[in-house]
Amino acid sequence: MTKKILLLPGDGIGVEIMAEARKVLELMNEKHSLDLELDEALVGGSAIDSAGKALPDITLEKCHAANAILLGAVGGPKWDNLPPADRPEKGGLLKIRKEMGLFGNLRPALLYKQLADASSLKPELVADLDILIVRELTGGIYFGEPRGIRVLENGERQGYNTYVYAESEIRRIGKVAFEMAQRRDKRLCSVDKANVLEATMLWREVMEGLAKDYPDVELSHMYVDNAAMQLIRAPKQFDVMVTGNMFGDILSDAAAMLTGSIGMLPSASMNEKGQGMYEPCHGSAPDIAGQGIANPLATILSVAMMMRYTLNMPEPALLIEEAVSTVLDQGLRTGDIYSEGCTKVSTSEMGAAVVAALSL
Ligand code: NAD
């Protein structure tokens, strides 16, 4: 059955990296008869400029109709002075996440051995690192009510937020995490602060309950402070980690940095209908936009994730990941991952090299 893929290049380097990801998608579609139907729409600053808002109705309609969305990046200084709700990030990207109920965020931290020197940790600690962090994205303390800043009786101001998770919210992110673990090394570490926070005591209890449905997955628990320490001390001990919105926000950025380059990191956000939005972890990089030097590999690896997780096409996903490894073996590097002795290439040269590796 035909699968609809919506491409949202967005702004800045989003446009440049999407052009390369499109070439990879088109090649795979043709060569492996994947029956993908590609469409494209505006989002972010480019949508504000041409359609008056960051998420035009037609784009949202196409998002709902798509099996999977591939997003470049949104934002840039040109739109920074708009009211926050109208800006490319909140009015475009966050709105898509909210409208589509994308509650499950998958952030792999995968370090190709060819780039082990780029990490701030010793190469032996991180070479071949392959962790997947599953973060709950639409609940927890970032959305909990009541919230605000109030004035106490003594006249002092007090800021307050609410860390809240319903069982159903924990269960649905837990299921995603267990299923991901089943596809990988079958080890899941649930991260909480169950020694202090009641909301995460419930989190732990629900995860324990779910484990009975996934007897092939080994579930462990870790307090978030220890998890932060272990990620830096011995990151390769982890396979899949699952955690709430705030802890996941922090841990996934820390894990990303273990790999040394933001230009290499894909991500995914899924909803209950099985739709997914795939995007590089980086932003629109206005400082290098238009120069043709951005690294397109995070977006190309996002295509691989899309094939594996939403389209259920593990073989083409693997071929793309192997092609990325091949171009790194060839010594090709964009500026962000360049080291002495390698060949510096442009965005389009890197894309062409991946396409060539896939065409063999
Ligand atoms: P950024 O990720 O765009 O850039 C941070 C640094 O990393 C910059 O020096 C940039 O040149 C470099 N970089 C990022 N991606 C790269 C790539 N593929 N190849 C080579 N170098 C790369 O973060 P920022 O500078 O904080 O934000 C810039 C704009 O992007 C802002 O408007 C921000 O709101 C937006 N943003 C969007 C998203 C998104 O669309 N998902 C995410 C983060 C930031």
Side-chain angles (χ1 to χ4, degrees), residues 279-307:
E279 55 185 311
C281 288
H282 60 74
S284 58
D287 54 332
I288 58 165
Q291 299 176 31
I293 58 171
N295 186 347
L297 294 180
T299 316
I300 290 172
L301 290 168
S302 299
V303 172
M305 275 189 94
M306 171 195 286
M307 294 197 169

Side-chain angles (χ1 to χ4, degrees), residues 146-217:
R147 61 192 296 158
I149 298 172
R150 59 194 164 202
V151 181
L152 299 176
E153 272 176 22
N154 65 3
E156 191 188 6
R157 288 189 305 154
Q158 183 189 54
Y160 60 102
N161 290 87
T162 305
Y163 194 133
V164 59
Y165 268 120
E167 272 186 279
S168 56
E169 285 177 296
I170 305 170
R171 197 168 294 115
R172 69 178 183 178
I173 192 72
K175 277 185 178 170
V176 171
F178 274 101
E179 281 164 24
M180 292 299 146
Q182 279 183 321
R183 293 167 187 235
R184 295 171 45 104
D185 200 31
K186 301 186 172 51
R187 290 180 295 120
L188 175 63
C189 178
S190 171
V191 176
D192 61 37
K193 189 71 183 170
N195 50 344
V196 178
L197 299 173
E198 283 79 358
T200 71
M201 289 173 198
L202 180 67
W203 177 283
R204 190 175 280 218
E205 207 183 298
V206 173
M207 290 294 165
E208 282 291 336
L210 267 178
K212 297 185 182 76
D213 299 336
Y214 301 89
D216 51 333
V217 176

Side-chain angles (χ1 to χ4, degrees), residues 192-246:
D192 61 37
K193 189 71 183 170
N195 50 344
V196 178
L197 299 173
E198 283 79 358
T200 71
M201 289 173 198
L202 180 67
W203 177 283
R204 190 175 280 218
E205 207 183 298
V206 173
M207 290 294 165
E208 282 291 336
L210 267 178
K212 297 185 182 76
D213 299 336
Y214 301 89
D216 51 333
V217 176
E218 180 193 312
L219 174 69
S220 61
H221 303 278
M222 199 177 274
Y223 297 139
V224 62
D225 42 346
N226 188 25
M229 200 166 77
Q230 295 301 330
L231 262 181
I232 307 302
R233 195 187 71 83
K236 286 198 263 186
Q237 69 184 281
F238 297 109
D239 176 25
V240 180
M241 302 172 89
V242 62
T243 189
N245 205 343
M246 179 170 60

Side-chain angles (χ1 to χ4, degrees), residues 93 98 122 127 192 214 304 357:
L93 183 56
K98 182 162 178 267
K122 292 184 200 121
D192 61 37
Y214 301 89

Side-chain angles (χ1 to χ4, degrees), residues 4 53 72 74 160 183 214 278 309 319:
K4 291 185 174 184
K53 58 179 177 176
V74 299
Y160 60 102
R183 293 167 187 235
Y214 301 89
Y278 294 80
Y309 294 126
L319 290 174

